[in-house]
Amino acid sequence: MSSSDWIDDAVTEVAAKLHNCNRCKLRRKTRKGQYCLPVRKAIHDVLDTLIGILFPGCHGHGPVAENQTGDTLQDEMKTAILTLQKQAEMAFEYQCELDECAEDCDDCEIKATDAVRYLVKTLPDVQEMLQTDIQAAHDGDPAAKSAMEVVMSYPAIQAISTYRIAHLLYEKDVPLIPRIMTELAHSRTGIDIHPGANIGQSFFIDHGTGVVIGETAIIGDNVKIYQGVTLGAMSFPKDKEGNPIKGIKRHPNIADRVTIYAEATLLGDITIGQGSTVGGNVWLTHSVPPDSKVSNAQPDPEIKT
Amino acid sequence: MSSSDWIDDAVTEVAAKLHNCNRCKLRRKTRKGQYCLPVRKAIHDVLDTLIGILFPGCHGHGPVAENQTGDTLQDEMKTAILTLQKQAEMAFEYQCELDECAEDCDDCEIKATDAVRYLVKTLPDVQEMLQTDIQAAHDGDPAAKSAMEVVMSYPAIQAISTYRIAHLLYEKDVPLIPRIMTELAHSRTGIDIHPGANIGQSFFIDHGTGVVIGETAIIGDNVKIYQGVTLGAMSFPKDKEGNPIKGIKRHPNIADRVTIYAEATLLGDITIGQGSTVGGNVWLTHSVPPDSKVSNAQPDPEIKT
Amino acid sequence: MSSSDWIDDAVTEVAAKLHNCNRCKLRRKTRKGQYCLPVRKAIHDVLDTLIGILFPGCHGHGPVAENQTGDTLQDEMKTAILTLQKQAEMAFEYQCELDECAEDCDDCEIKATDAVRYLVKTLPDVQEMLQTDIQAAHDGDPAAKSAMEVVMSYPAIQAISTYRIAHLLYEKDVPLIPRIMTELAHSRTGIDIHPGANIGQSFFIDHGTGVVIGETAIIGDNVKIYQGVTLGAMSFPKDKEGNPIKGIKRHPNIADRVTIYAEATLLGDITIGQGSTVGGNVWLTHSVPPDSKVSNAQPDPEIKT
């Protein structure tokens, strides 16, 4: 007993300090006395549902009679839409408070509806793009036993599906949620695709752990990259207060039919010409013409004595 | 209210489109009116149970009286076997439909039983191998405080345990499931070991994030590799239709007592002779003799002006 | 039916073998007839709660009235403390058995209380440090839309929060638990920070997958590192039995205001002088003076013929 007397005192004292963190207060915004922040768990659930319905019958279900999958899919989609709409509204409200917008502007709900409608309407196009990505994986990896193995187990499909969904919300300027989605895929797959990137069809990332694709990267069709490849930024201009200027083009442009091997680091607003191959572990901060081959020298072995 | 009128219409229209995706239909196969696909969640549970019983008393349990662990272990093993058998049967049935095999061949159940029996019978050997892997981690990492710390927290043990289990199912040609297992470990640890690889005893992967070990890689005894090491394939022959020919030997052979430092990329059917050391960030596509030392040159520092 | 007759026999036989694994027995220790090992799930829950209360109102909750968050925070903190105390006690008891300490030494409870009190008392300092880390992320990444986006989605914040908590338990020599905590963050983020490392304020890890920071690494203030950077050890002295000597300084020292780009591998007890920049994919095993710039040469492109 006596040994735990300290707990109540400590909890009272420390909890008060933590709760009064000034910087936290500045950031968390309340609206009508409630915190308005989207809930990560709800967004994760929406994302998983959307990925599930993009591959009907392939994920997470036990055996289902074929003629029932259509109904299940409709129910799941409706639930996901309603949740996402609510979360998007909270995200816009958070931004609204942060920007000290008028409290009764009512735009948040309108913006949320607009973004979610756009996403839902575009889902069939996303599905079609993803089919080209699956094909690219099957064609590009001799270890793939079947297209279904790709769908059910390849991390690239998880990461690219998530990116293609999050990108639609990014296009509609939804705060917080696109990045929460891609960071869930990042956590699960090690593949970090910023929702702002632009990526063509038949895109394949093999293995994928450590891949980084930055916000302003542009990737053409039939591009194949391996684990640990970075399409990143190097330096960026700052404003008069020393803050980085947001939104400037600062990431690579990868043309059609380029292959980039493992652990290559490409930084800056450079262009890799179509049909080029970049070898593993290359460090590259300038453009290369079409059909280039760029490779590190290989060190000669010394024999230990 | 009015703002959500669009939802029902959109759901009906979009769900129908998604459900009718032609390529999806080609892939998902039905048998007697039901989808026959293994369920990822069930396979994940089986894998976690099997790993738990390979380290009796070390994972996931609260305090248990010592004389009870034997019974618990039997119950858990039985549940895992029954689930795995059902899942393996569904995996074989899926492949059967894909190969347009006769519908009443009955081989699927027999193949599933054979694979699961083989796995169960071999578990004690797997346990023995894993004990050498734990020892290798404890001997090879000055940060390891105790062998139990290795068992309870090292990602390498999770990844190698999973690989050694999945490899047994791969040997028995079980479709889909081996890769679903190793991709779960990949997701959790960042270590991507294809179930087809062949790996000797006392194998240690330190840290591990980004490690890739390809399907036809062969690794001897007492090998130690660090995070970001790739044992991958570079190019591979294609058939007349331009599809990659599956099953060809295309990954490295790592002989006994080799150490490979972080982020080295080794590609192709090359051999790293026994006792060799490969430095970090090396790009290597040819063989090196025994007792080699292969290292990148280190750049000289320039002083900023 | 007949096809599953084998299961009961196999379970009995194989379970007995697995349960009697000699090496396992040596490791799992019993005290008064019960296994004494902390439970990973419980430690994960404690960690998530502690991270939640360090960012009051930002994680995992639905909308909460502002005047209620203080109470919620107190309740959550108390639950976490009680659980952690019990787990820490079990961890000390495990070590006690392993060291063949006298069974009635009673020190385990005292040590556990001391460690947990220290952690709780220090939480406000941890919160303050984390605020500098959040600011560093916001200042150092043009893609960060708001500080809240950093808090809610950046893996670096998850990994650094976990490290700063686990480090306090490491300072108090709590067995097993600090590493279980940092390995949870490693699993989720790909960032592997050993709880023993020493890290200054305003620390930012961008993207982060594959980062390794070793046990005796020392990092100053305002340091920024990118994905795949290793601050590791190369070789280490062994004792007469060939076991690695634990606790020797063997990892890099990174001075203030250093930036290290993606996939650079820095090994050994070397010093990177303040204000230096290390380029991507560099392999470095010696010290460099302040204000250095260290970069790999970039290969020239060949045009494919």
Side-chain angles (χ1 to χ4, degrees):
Chain A
M1 284 300 234
S2 65
S3 73
S4 65
D5 278 354
W6 66 276
I7 296 181
D8 286 328
D9 291 348
V11 164
T12 312
E13 187 192 326
V14 174
K17 276 192 198 165
L18 295 177
H19 189 239
N20 288 320
C21 159
N22 269 324
R23 296 216 221 188
C24 302
K25 277 187 176 167
L26 282 176
R27 273 176 214 147
R28 61 173 193 259
K29 295 289 172 182
T30 52
R31 197 180 169 94
K32 297 162 195 163
Q34 291 209 323
Y35 289 125
C36 45
L37 267 180
V39 178
R40 287 197 297 189
K41 177 76 177 63
I43 295 161
H44 294 174
D45 289 346
V46 165
L47 180 63
D48 283 338
T49 304
L50 291 177
I51 291 177
I53 65 186
L54 286 169
F55 304 100
C58 300
H59 278 92
H61 298 292
V64 178
E66 193 178 22
N67 55 14
Q68 288 172 15
T69 47
D71 297 345
T72 310
L73 201 150
Q74 286 196 20
D75 293 346
E76 289 176 346
M77 190 183 292
K78 190 164 177 181
T79 306
I81 290 172
L82 292 170
T83 306
L84 183 57
Q85 178 134 5
K86 197 178 148 200
Q87 296 298 319
E89 208 175 312
M90 288 170 75
F92 278 114
E93 282 175 4
Y94 173 76
Q95 191 65 43
C96 207
E97 295 292 329
L98 203 67
D99 298 344
E100 299 182 346
C101 170
E103 199 161 325
D104 51 359
C105 70
D106 268 348
D107 281 356
C108 296
E109 195 187 334
I110 295 167
K111 285 181 189 167
T113 301
D114 180 53
V116 176
R117 281 187 88 150
Y118 174 64
L119 178 131
V120 173
K121 192 184 69 183
T122 317
L123 280 179
D125 298 337
V126 169
Q127 187 185 49
E128 215 172 297
M129 285 290 267
L130 289 171
Q131 293 300 324
T132 71
D133 301 326
I134 292 166
Q135 195 61 45
H138 190 241
D139 292 351
D141 181 12
K145 306 291 179 229
S146 65
M148 186 55 85
E149 190 183 72
V150 172
V151 175
M152 290 189 78
S153 64
Y154 275 42
I157 299 306
Q158 171 110 206
I160 299 170
S161 305
T162 301
Y163 152 75
R164 296 206 186 280
I165 290 166
H167 181 66
L168 301 175
L169 300 176
Y170 177 93
E171 287 185 279
K172 291 290 184 178
D173 293 318
V174 179
L176 297 169
I177 296 178
R179 190 68 184 264
I180 289 175
M181 287 182 164
T182 56
E183 285 299 340
L184 178 65
H186 183 193
S187 174
R188 288 175 173 171
T189 67
I191 298 169
D192 181 356
I193 310 179
H194 195 284
N198 278 283
I199 302 180
Q201 62 175 28
S202 302
F203 180 50
F204 180 40
I205 303 172
D206 205 358
H207 311 295
T209 311
V211 162
V212 170
I213 299 174
E215 184 178 20
T216 67
I218 299 175
I219 297 177
D221 296 335
N222 298 294
V223 168
K224 180 175 173 179
I225 69 178
Y226 284 85
Q227 66 276 10
V229 166
T230 292
L231 307 178
M234 190 154 60
S235 54
F236 34 80
K238 299 192 172 190
D239 65 17
K240 277 177 283 182
E241 282 83 43
N243 297 318
I245 301 172
K246 311 276 177 181
I248 287 180
K249 177 80 172 95
R250 59 195 184 280
H251 298 102
N253 310 289
I254 311 297
D256 297 347
R257 292 175 292 101
V258 166
T259 298
I260 309 176
Y261 282 98
E263 315 297 339
T265 306
L266 283 63
L267 301 188
D269 182 17
I270 62 175
T271 296
I272 307 302
Q274 58 178 36
S276 294
T277 303
V278 179
N281 301 89
V282 162
W283 158 251
L284 194 62
T285 63
H286 52 70
S287 297
V288 302
D291 297 309
S292 293
K293 215 179 133 175
V294 190
S295 264
N296 280 349
Q298 301 196 17
D300 290 323
E302 269 176 73
I303 302 301
K304 294 178 189 175
T305 50
Chain B
M1 284 302 237
S2 64
S3 73
S4 65
D5 279 353
W6 66 277
I7 296 180
D8 286 328
D9 291 347
V11 164
T12 312
E13 187 193 325
V14 173
K17 276 193 198 165
L18 294 176
H19 189 238
N20 288 320
C21 158
N22 270 323
R23 294 216 222 190
C24 302
K25 276 187 176 167
L26 282 176
R27 270 175 216 148
R28 62 173 192 257
K29 294 290 172 182
T30 51
R31 196 181 170 95
K32 297 161 195 165
Q34 292 210 320
Y35 289 125
C36 44
L37 266 180
V39 178
R40 286 195 300 189
K41 177 74 176 65
I43 295 162
H44 293 174
D45 289 346
V46 166
L47 180 63
D48 283 339
T49 304
L50 291 177
I51 291 177
I53 64 185
L54 286 169
F55 304 100
C58 301
H59 278 92
H61 298 293
V64 178
E66 192 177 24
N67 56 13
Q68 287 172 13
T69 47
D71 297 345
T72 310
L73 199 150
Q74 286 197 20
D75 292 346
E76 289 176 346
M77 190 184 291
K78 191 164 176 180
T79 306
I81 290 173
L82 291 170
T83 307
L84 183 57
Q85 178 135 4
K86 196 178 149 199
Q87 296 298 319
E89 208 175 313
M90 288 171 74
F92 278 115
E93 282 174 5
Y94 173 76
Q95 191 63 43
C96 207
E97 295 292 330
L98 204 68
D99 297 343
E100 300 182 346
C101 169
E103 199 161 324
D104 50 358
C105 70
D106 268 349
D107 281 356
C108 295
E109 196 188 333
I110 294 168
K111 284 181 189 167
T113 301
D114 180 52
V116 176
R117 281 186 87 151
Y118 174 64
L119 178 130
V120 173
K121 191 185 69 183
T122 316
L123 280 179
D125 299 337
V126 169
Q127 187 186 49
E128 214 172 297
M129 286 290 266
L130 289 171
Q131 292 299 326
T132 71
D133 300 326
I134 292 165
Q135 194 61 44
H138 190 242
D139 292 350
D141 180 12
K145 306 290 178 229
S146 65
M148 186 56 83
E149 190 183 71
V150 173
V151 175
M152 290 189 80
S153 64
Y154 275 41
I157 300 306
Q158 171 110 205
I160 299 171
S161 304
T162 301
Y163 153 75
R164 297 206 186 280
I165 290 166
H167 181 67
L168 301 175
L169 300 176
Y170 177 93
E171 288 185 278
K172 291 290 183 178
D173 293 318
V174 179
L176 298 169
I177 296 177
R179 190 68 185 264
I180 289 173
M181 288 182 165
T182 56
E183 285 299 339
L184 179 65
H186 183 193
S187 174
R188 289 176 174 171
T189 68
I191 299 169
D192 180 357
I193 310 179
H194 194 285
N198 277 282
I199 302 181
Q201 63 175 28
S202 302
F203 181 49
F204 180 39
I205 303 172
D206 205 357
H207 312 294
T209 311
V211 162
V212 170
I213 299 174
E215 183 178 19
T216 66
I218 299 175
I219 297 178
D221 297 335
N222 298 295
V223 168
K224 179 175 174 178
I225 69 179
Y226 284 85
Q227 66 275 11
V229 166
T230 291
L231 307 178
M234 190 152 60
S235 54
F236 34 82
K238 299 191 171 189
D239 65 17
K240 277 177 283 180
E241 282 82 45
N243 297 319
I245 300 173
K246 310 277 177 180
I248 287 179
K249 177 79 172 95
R250 60 195 184 281
H251 298 102
N253 310 288
I254 311 297
D256 299 345
R257 293 175 291 103
V258 166
T259 299
I260 309 176
Y261 282 98
E263 314 298 338
T265 305
L266 283 63
L267 301 188
D269 182 16
I270 62 174
T271 297
I272 307 302
Q274 58 178 36
S276 294
T277 304
V278 179
N281 302 88
V282 162
W283 159 251
L284 195 62
T285 63
H286 52 69
S287 298
V288 301
D291 297 309
S292 293
K293 216 180 133 175
V294 190
S295 264
N296 281 349
Q298 300 196 19
D300 290 323
E302 268 176 72
I303 302 302
K304 294 177 189 177
T305 48
Chain C
M1 283 306 232
S2 64
S3 74
S4 64
D5 280 354
W6 67 275
I7 295 180
D8 286 329
D9 290 348
V11 164
T12 312
E13 187 193 325
V14 173
K17 276 192 198 167
L18 295 177
H19 189 239
N20 288 319
C21 159
N22 269 323
R23 295 216 221 188
C24 302
K25 277 187 178 167
L26 282 176
R27 272 176 216 148
R28 61 174 193 257
K29 294 289 172 182
T30 52
R31 196 180 170 96
K32 297 162 194 163
Q34 290 209 322
Y35 290 124
C36 45
L37 267 180
V39 178
R40 287 196 298 189
K41 176 77 176 63
I43 295 161
H44 294 175
D45 289 346
V46 165
L47 180 62
D48 283 338
T49 304
L50 291 178
I51 291 177
I53 64 186
L54 285 170
F55 304 99
C58 301
H59 278 93
H61 299 292
V64 178
E66 193 178 21
N67 56 14
Q68 288 171 14
T69 47
D71 297 345
T72 310
L73 200 150
Q74 286 196 20
D75 292 346
E76 289 176 347
M77 190 184 291
K78 190 163 177 180
T79 306
I81 290 172
L82 291 169
T83 307
L84 184 57
Q85 177 135 6
K86 195 177 150 200
Q87 295 299 319
E89 208 175 313
M90 287 169 77
F92 277 115
E93 282 174 4
Y94 174 76
Q95 191 64 44
C96 207
E97 295 293 329
L98 204 67
D99 297 343
E100 300 181 343
C101 169
E103 199 160 327
D104 51 359
C105 69
D106 268 347
D107 281 356
C108 296
E109 196 187 333
I110 295 168
K111 284 180 189 167
T113 301
D114 180 52
V116 176
R117 280 187 87 150
Y118 174 63
L119 179 131
V120 173
K121 191 184 68 182
T122 315
L123 280 178
D125 299 336
V126 169
Q127 188 186 47
E128 215 172 297
M129 285 289 266
L130 289 170
Q131 293 299 326
T132 71
D133 301 326
I134 293 165
Q135 195 61 45
H138 190 241
D139 293 349
D141 181 12
K145 306 290 178 229
S146 65
M148 186 56 84
E149 191 183 72
V150 173
V151 175
M152 289 189 80
S153 65
Y154 276 41
I157 299 306
Q158 172 110 204
I160 300 171
S161 304
T162 302
Y163 153 75
R164 296 208 187 277
I165 291 166
H167 182 66
L168 300 175
L169 300 176
Y170 177 93
E171 288 185 279
K172 291 291 184 178
D173 293 318
V174 179
L176 298 169
I177 295 177
R179 189 70 184 263
I180 289 173
M181 287 181 164
T182 56
E183 285 298 339
L184 179 65
H186 182 193
S187 173
R188 289 174 173 173
T189 67
I191 299 169
D192 181 357
I193 309 179
H194 194 284
N198 278 283
I199 303 181
Q201 63 176 29
S202 302
F203 181 50
F204 180 38
I205 304 171
D206 205 357
H207 311 295
T209 312
V211 162
V212 170
I213 299 174
E215 184 178 19
T216 66
I218 299 174
I219 297 178
D221 295 336
N222 298 295
V223 168
K224 180 176 174 179
I225 69 179
Y226 284 85
Q227 66 275 11
V229 166
T230 292
L231 307 178
M234 190 152 62
S235 54
F236 33 82
K238 300 191 172 191
D239 65 17
K240 277 177 282 182
E241 280 84 44
N243 296 319
I245 300 172
K246 310 277 177 181
I248 288 179
K249 177 81 171 93
R250 60 195 184 281
H251 298 102
N253 311 288
I254 311 297
D256 297 347
R257 292 176 292 101
V258 166
T259 298
I260 310 176
Y261 282 97
E263 314 297 339
T265 305
L266 283 63
L267 300 188
D269 182 16
I270 63 175
T271 297
I272 307 302
Q274 59 179 35
S276 295
T277 303
V278 179
N281 302 89
V282 162
W283 158 252
L284 195 61
T285 63
H286 53 70
S287 297
V288 301
D291 297 309
S292 293
K293 214 179 132 175
V294 190
S295 265
N296 281 349
Q298 301 196 20
D300 290 322
E302 268 174 72
I303 303 301
K304 295 178 189 177
T305 49

